[in-house]
Amino acid sequence: MNKRIGILTSGGDCPGLNAIIRAVVKCASQQRWEVYGIPYGTEGFLRLETGKCQSNDLKLKENGYDLPGLLHGIDILQFLSGSILGSLSKGNPQDKAIAKTIIQGYQDLKLDALIAVGGDGSLGIIYDLAQQGKWKIVAIPKTIDNDVPFTERSVGFDTAVNKVTAALYDLTFTAASHDRTMIVEVMGRNAGHLALHAGIAGGADIILIPELTPQIDENLIINLCIRLAKLRWTGRKFALVVIAEGVKNHVGERQKAIGDYLAQQIDQVSQRLCLTGKPEFCELNKIETRATVLGHIQRSGTPSSYDRLLAATFAKKAIDLIAADQYNQLVVWHNGAVQIQSLDKVVSQIKQSHRLGICPNPVDAEGFLVQTARSLGIYLGNSWKQTV
Ligand code: F6P
């Protein structure tokens, strides 16, 4: 049966969103279905209702993104980051009337189903709207934070890991040339996946993530300085420190520019340790720290082949589910394959975590990646005693 489906991208953008859209359109076209691209997440339904856009303008066509001249025919969409549909980070309609209009927009578009591409925040919002409006939805996880529960991978994460790893490589040489300690602040919200993966792949000496170092304290800074002193003592004059933005300050609060904050703490404590006159700390007065905030560059760039493959397989699964009239599911990556998970379960875990102020899919503090980092001699904050 011919179907008329919608697709929207919601929450913060990340590489791979266009690859998902392209794959959805391709798979749906094979079935002769119509696909409508909803602009700016659920706000697109509001725009439809208020006449700011027309349904016919939203129709997505296969090969509709051709380039001019001899490049005509190149299907470039899957290589571009961002989202051709736009996205909305603050899309929770507090106003009941607005929520009602959004729900009406879905009905008026006469959609048989909606594919919602979202992260841990936006999936909960769309789920609530879908419940109220009896929408038939299938969701695809995306986020550079990799914090959507029940999926080992979300689209966008791999590209961000590559981006941060490349930045660490670049920073190594300037760090080495000036005998500096480079502190690199990495995104990830309350999760440390991005910092941990990229830190290991990029050769970091120290990685601080919220799951292992919820907040900075005096003891941590002292141990960190001892680690830096030890490196210098053994002839390594520079160091690379990765800190996830979710690590909190001394008083347990979220700190803007936590990397800079850490640099200041290291400067102060290293001077103090120097004054003790102990020979093992004498090198510390030579420590120069510099902090780099990688920022939104982590959300951009050509999606990696892994993210494009994930986008394609997730899109195919989403179309399969709609063909089978199976809704209210999140497609997930688990044990090396695409699987599904009930959105009821996923969203309940997300909401519970948000209520408790914790990450819905944190790094496993005892997991193999953490063990690997420790085995490589990377200082992870709490592991100092075991590794000195
Ligand atoms: O969730 C993705 C993310 O990039 C986080 O890593 C980061 O904390 C946040 O979004 C930044 O949000 P915004 O783009 O709204 O500043």
Side-chain angles (χ1 to χ4, degrees):
M1 194 190 92
N2 277 359
K3 286 195 192 277
R4 185 178 163 105
I5 65 167
I7 178 165
L8 59 78
T9 51
S10 60
D13 74 329
C14 66
L17 294 178
N18 288 325
I20 298 173
I21 297 166
R22 167 190 177 266
V24 161
V25 174
K26 273 186 171 290
C27 295
S29 302
Q30 299 271 338
Q31 314 243 19
R32 298 183 187 281
W33 296 356
E34 286 180 347
V35 184
Y36 288 79
I38 315 300
Y40 299 104
T42 50
E43 201 199 283
F45 291 125
L46 204 60
R47 290 183 178 217
L48 267 172
E49 288 300 289
T50 51
K52 286 195 186 133
C53 62
Q54 305 301 321
S55 60
N56 268 343
D57 301 336
L58 306 185
K59 240 179 175 176
L60 298 175
K61 290 184 209 79
E62 209 197 330
N63 296 323
Y65 317 101
D66 285 347
L67 298 175
L70 289 183
L71 298 187
H72 173 81
I74 291 183
D75 186 3
I76 200 170
L77 195 55
Q78 67 165 332
F79 307 115
L80 304 177
S81 58
S83 167
I84 54 162
L85 300 176
S87 197
L88 197 67
S89 304
K90 298 180 175 53
N92 197 357
Q94 305 295 348
D95 190 322
K96 278 197 177 134
I98 293 181
K100 225 173 139 188
T101 316
I102 290 174
I103 289 166
Q104 192 57 43
Y106 174 96
Q107 313 295 359
D108 289 349
L109 202 49
K110 299 194 175 13
L111 294 180
D112 293 307
L114 175 70
I115 296 178
V117 184
D120 78 316
S122 51
L123 286 178
I125 296 167
I126 295 167
Y127 174 85
D128 287 345
L129 288 165
Q131 291 287 304
Q132 288 171 53
K134 299 196 177 10
W135 296 355
K136 293 174 176 167
I137 59 167
V138 171
I140 295 180
K142 63 84 224 177
T143 167
I144 64 161
D145 306 335
N146 211 35
D147 56 356
V148 176
F150 300 103
T151 183
E152 287 154 20
R153 282 286 179 278
S154 290
V155 174
F157 175 66
D158 184 66
T159 311
V161 170
N162 290 340
K163 197 103 199 176
V164 178
T165 304
L168 292 177
Y169 175 80
D170 290 343
L171 287 165
T172 299
F173 293 92
T174 170
S177 303
H178 289 273
D179 293 349
R180 280 175 173 160
T181 293
M182 284 289 176
I183 297 171
V184 186
E185 182 182 322
V186 170
M187 279 185 171
R189 218 175 281 272
N190 295 323
H193 299 284
L194 185 52
L196 183 63
H197 280 72
I200 294 173
D205 301 292
I206 294 165
I207 304 173
L208 302 178
I209 58 172
E211 293 86 345
L212 297 174
T213 308
Q215 72 181 79
I216 287 172
D217 61 25
E218 177 80 3
N219 200 28
L220 172 85
I221 304 291
I222 291 173
N223 280 332
L224 223 139
C225 286
I226 293 171
R227 171 79 188 193
L228 294 174
K230 194 182 169 199
L231 277 178
R232 290 199 159 232
W233 195 250
T234 54
R236 174 77 127 56
K237 307 256 183 256
F238 71 95
L240 221 50
V241 180
V242 173
I243 181 165
E245 64 174 354
V247 174
K248 306 232 168 55
N249 66 15
H250 270 90
V251 286
E253 283 169 358
R254 182 89 184 234
Q255 173 84 36
K256 202 169 168 35
I258 188 76
D260 255 325
Y261 181 86
L262 180 65
Q264 284 166 26
Q265 303 291 322
I266 292 175
D267 285 347
Q268 285 168 18
V269 173
S270 59
Q271 293 314 317
R272 248 178 36 220
L273 288 176
C274 259
L275 293 175
T276 62
K278 292 187 179 162
E280 65 266 37
F281 296 145
C282 67
E283 287 278 325
L284 279 175
N285 66 348
K286 298 186 193 123
I287 278 194
E288 231 189 9
T289 53
R290 290 288 185 276
T292 301
V293 184
L294 293 183
H296 288 79
I297 200 110
Q298 294 161 98
R299 292 219 313 230
S300 197
T302 304
S304 66
S305 46
Y306 187 93
D307 270 336
R308 276 179 258 153
L309 276 169
L310 208 55
T313 51
F314 279 175
K316 183 221 173 330
K317 188 69 182 176
I319 294 293
D320 287 352
L321 287 170
I322 296 171
D325 276 326
Q326 197 179 345
Y327 302 110
N328 206 28
Q329 302 292 326
L330 175 74
V331 296
V332 297
W333 190 256
H334 186 65
N335 286 342
V338 180
Q339 299 188 11
I340 53 171
Q341 187 58 252
S342 139
L343 263 180
D344 298 340
K345 203 166 159 188
V346 174
V347 173
S348 132
Q349 173 141 338
I350 289 174
K351 288 188 174 176
Q352 166 81 344
S353 310
H354 288 179
R355 266 194 298 277
L356 299 171
I358 56 173
C359 174
N361 182 27
V363 168
D364 179 355
E366 304 300 325
F368 197 68
L369 217 51
V370 168
Q371 290 175 32
T372 302
R374 285 191 179 129
S375 297
L376 293 172
I378 299 172
Y379 177 52
L380 296 174
N382 67 345
S383 58
W384 175 250
K385 284 190 180 67
Q386 294 132 49
T387 56
V388 175

Short mmCIF file of all heavy atoms in Angstrom, two decimals, residues 89-90 143-145 187-189 245 254 296 299, ligand 1:
data_model
loop_
_atom_site.label_atom_id
_atom_site.label_comp_id
_atom_site.label_asym_id
_atom_site.label_seq_id
_atom_site.Cartn_x
_atom_site.Cartn_y
_atom_site.Cartn_z
N SER A 89 16.44 22.98 18.93
CA SER A 89 16.93 22.46 20.21
C SER A 89 15.94 22.72 21.33
O SER A 89 15.87 21.98 22.29
CB SER A 89 18.25 23.11 20.60
OG SER A 89 19.17 22.96 19.59
N LYS A 90 15.20 23.82 21.22
CA LYS A 90 14.31 24.16 22.34
C LYS A 90 12.86 24.02 21.90
O LYS A 90 12.12 24.98 21.81
CB LYS A 90 14.62 25.56 22.82
CG LYS A 90 16.06 25.59 23.33
CD LYS A 90 16.55 26.87 23.85
CE LYS A 90 17.95 26.67 24.44
NZ LYS A 90 18.91 26.03 23.53
N THR A 143 23.07 11.82 17.89
CA THR A 143 23.68 12.78 18.82
C THR A 143 25.18 12.54 18.90
O THR A 143 25.63 11.37 18.89
CB THR A 143 23.11 12.68 20.26
OG1 THR A 143 23.95 13.44 21.13
CG2 THR A 143 23.04 11.27 20.79
N ILE A 144 25.93 13.63 19.00
CA ILE A 144 27.38 13.45 19.17
C ILE A 144 27.68 13.00 20.61
O ILE A 144 28.78 12.57 20.90
CB ILE A 144 28.18 14.74 18.86
CG1 ILE A 144 27.84 15.87 19.84
CG2 ILE A 144 27.98 15.18 17.42
CD1 ILE A 144 28.89 16.97 19.87
N ASP A 145 26.70 13.10 21.50
CA ASP A 145 26.93 12.72 22.91
C ASP A 145 26.85 11.21 23.13
O ASP A 145 27.32 10.71 24.14
CB ASP A 145 25.89 13.39 23.82
CG ASP A 145 25.84 14.90 23.62
OD1 ASP A 145 26.84 15.47 23.18
OD2 ASP A 145 24.77 15.50 23.90
N MET A 187 32.68 18.40 24.07
CA MET A 187 31.23 18.37 24.35
C MET A 187 30.79 16.98 24.85
O MET A 187 31.62 16.10 25.03
CB MET A 187 30.44 18.71 23.08
CG MET A 187 30.34 20.19 22.80
SD MET A 187 29.26 20.46 21.38
CE MET A 187 29.09 22.24 21.43
N GLY A 188 29.48 16.81 25.02
CA GLY A 188 28.98 15.51 25.46
C GLY A 188 27.88 15.62 26.49
O GLY A 188 27.39 14.61 26.99
N ARG A 189 27.55 16.87 26.86
CA ARG A 189 26.55 17.13 27.89
C ARG A 189 26.93 16.39 29.18
O ARG A 189 28.02 16.59 29.66
CB ARG A 189 25.15 16.71 27.41
CG ARG A 189 24.07 17.69 27.89
CD ARG A 189 22.73 17.34 27.31
NE ARG A 189 22.59 17.78 25.94
CZ ARG A 189 22.16 18.97 25.58
NH1 ARG A 189 21.83 19.84 26.48
NH2 ARG A 189 22.05 19.30 24.31
N GLU A 245 32.84 18.37 28.98
CA GLU A 245 32.15 19.56 29.50
C GLU A 245 31.24 19.25 30.70
O GLU A 245 30.90 20.14 31.47
CB GLU A 245 31.31 20.22 28.40
CG GLU A 245 30.18 19.33 27.88
CD GLU A 245 29.27 20.02 26.89
OE1 GLU A 245 29.42 21.23 26.65
OE2 GLU A 245 28.39 19.33 26.33
N ARG A 254 27.78 23.16 37.17
CA ARG A 254 28.21 23.21 35.77
C ARG A 254 28.98 24.50 35.56
O ARG A 254 28.54 25.57 35.95
CB ARG A 254 26.96 23.17 34.89
CG ARG A 254 27.22 23.16 33.42
CD ARG A 254 27.36 21.73 32.95
NE ARG A 254 27.71 21.72 31.54
CZ ARG A 254 27.03 21.06 30.63
NH1 ARG A 254 25.99 20.34 30.96
NH2 ARG A 254 27.42 21.08 29.38
N HIS A 296 31.36 23.95 18.77
CA HIS A 296 30.43 23.40 17.78
C HIS A 296 31.09 22.81 16.55
O HIS A 296 30.40 22.18 15.73
CB HIS A 296 29.39 24.46 17.39
CG HIS A 296 28.41 24.70 18.50
ND1 HIS A 296 28.71 25.48 19.58
CD2 HIS A 296 27.15 24.21 18.71
CE1 HIS A 296 27.68 25.48 20.42
NE2 HIS A 296 26.72 24.72 19.91
N ARG A 299 30.28 19.33 15.95
CA ARG A 299 28.97 18.90 15.41
C ARG A 299 28.92 18.99 13.89
O ARG A 299 27.86 18.78 13.30
CB ARG A 299 27.87 19.79 16.01
CG ARG A 299 27.68 19.55 17.48
CD ARG A 299 26.24 19.58 17.92
NE ARG A 299 25.45 20.67 17.45
CZ ARG A 299 24.69 21.43 18.25
NH1 ARG A 299 24.72 21.23 19.56
NH2 ARG A 299 23.91 22.36 17.75
O1 F6P B 1 23.68 17.45 22.58
C1 F6P B 1 24.60 17.89 21.66
C2 F6P B 1 25.36 19.09 22.19
O2 F6P B 1 26.29 19.49 21.22
C3 F6P B 1 26.04 18.88 23.54
O3 F6P B 1 27.22 18.13 23.43
C4 F6P B 1 26.23 20.29 24.00
O4 F6P B 1 26.30 20.36 25.40
C5 F6P B 1 24.98 20.96 23.50
O5 F6P B 1 24.47 20.16 22.45
C6 F6P B 1 25.19 22.36 22.99
O6 F6P B 1 23.94 22.87 22.69
P1 F6P B 1 23.73 24.23 21.91
O7 F6P B 1 24.09 24.00 20.48
O8 F6P B 1 22.29 24.51 22.10
O9 F6P B 1 24.64 25.23 22.53
#
